[in-house]
Amino acid sequence: MNQGYAVARPRESVLATNKVIRNTYTLLSMTLLFSALMAGVSMAVQPPPMTQLLTVGGAFLLIWLVLPRTANSASGLLTVFGITGLLGFGLGPMLNYYLAMANGPQVVATALGGTGVIFLGLSGYALTTRRDFSFLGGFLFVGFLVVLAAALANIFLAIPALSLTISAAVIMIMSGFILYDTSRLINGGETNYVLATISLYLSIYNIFVNLLALLGIMSGDD
């Protein structure tokens, strides 16, 4: 009797984990499409450049103040779409800026394709190997703080080489977060697919934005 329970328990745990993974990637796909739609709307209406700053601020207010209270309810889904919609809308002015460059369409397409390759490659690797990347948590957090401090300093210093380094570092750190977050999903460290979706979305968003900036700088037209 007890042996049967012991066998059934891991099976239920695996089913629950698979359900969280499936829900996470389904919701992530929907939010990426919605974010792209909002970016398209923003490009069409052409809001002022400061729109991105305002939408990022609004999105992070939702993440800090609203998401923790709604993550375990149906309202959490609305919050997720609110966050990703705001961030997507804020991309409009940036995309219009890069598309206006001589090789802008190529830069944007390369950034989009590169982001997809990075995410699918790293996420697929973590899902296939099922390795535990939880050890990366501390390193990634410290690295993020260092890059954040450097980015704030560069607002006043305005050193192009430092901007290039910061963008490259952010891409590497967010790539690490993809491995870390996917590993947590696989090993049961994250059981809330709403929170998991936001974590993966933010990694994808930051990789795309910084890859776009990196390619823009390297193109010589920025």
Side-chain angles (χ1 to χ4, degrees):
M1 189 73 175
N2 291 335
Q3 184 177 1
Y5 174 76
V7 172
R9 188 174 181 182
R11 182 179 304 171
E12 292 176 357
S13 178
V14 170
L15 290 175
T17 298
N18 290 339
K19 182 178 180 181
V20 172
I21 294 174
R22 183 172 62 253
N23 289 341
T24 297
Y25 283 95
T26 299
L27 183 57
L28 180 63
S29 300
M30 295 172 64
T31 55
L32 288 172
L33 289 174
F34 181 65
S35 188
L37 175 62
M38 294 304 296
V41 171
S42 179
M43 292 172 67
V45 300
Q46 298 184 351
M50 67 177 299
T51 298
Q52 185 177 21
L53 181 62
L54 296 175
T55 55
V56 168
F60 274 89
L61 284 177
L62 289 177
I63 292 173
W64 292 329
L65 303 179
V66 180
L67 187 61
R69 301 178 182 179
T70 60
N72 294 306
S73 66
S75 299
L77 296 176
L78 296 176
T79 305
V80 168
F81 279 100
I83 293 167
T84 56
L86 282 171
L87 292 175
F89 190 84
L91 287 175
M94 177 185 292
L95 291 173
N96 282 335
Y97 170 78
Y98 283 104
L99 288 173
M101 294 164 50
N103 60 340
Q106 181 182 353
V107 170
V108 173
T110 302
L112 186 61
T115 302
V117 169
I118 291 171
F119 173 71
L120 293 175
L122 293 175
S123 186
Y125 175 76
L127 288 169
T128 302
T129 62
R130 307 186 78 84
R131 289 186 57 186
D132 185 1
F133 290 98
S134 59
F135 66 91
L136 292 175
F139 296 104
L140 293 173
F141 181 72
V142 172
F144 176 76
L145 292 179
V146 171
V147 169
L148 181 60
L152 292 175
N154 203 39
I155 293 176
F156 304 99
L157 299 175
I159 303 175
L162 183 55
S163 297
L164 194 72
T165 302
I166 290 171
S167 291
V170 170
I171 292 170
M172 293 181 62
I173 291 171
M174 292 301 141
S175 297
F177 271 116
I178 290 175
L179 288 174
Y180 174 75
D181 290 329
T182 306
S183 173
R184 278 170 50 81
L185 278 173
I186 296 170
N187 296 291
E190 179 59 79
T191 59
N192 188 304
Y193 71 92
V194 170
L195 297 178
T197 297
I198 286 297
S199 294
L200 289 173
Y201 176 90
L202 290 176
S203 294
I204 294 171
Y205 174 88
N206 281 292
I207 288 174
F208 174 70
V209 168
N210 285 277
L211 190 55
L212 190 60
L214 194 63
L215 292 171
I217 294 173
M218 293 177 65
S219 72
D221 290 319
D222 190 354

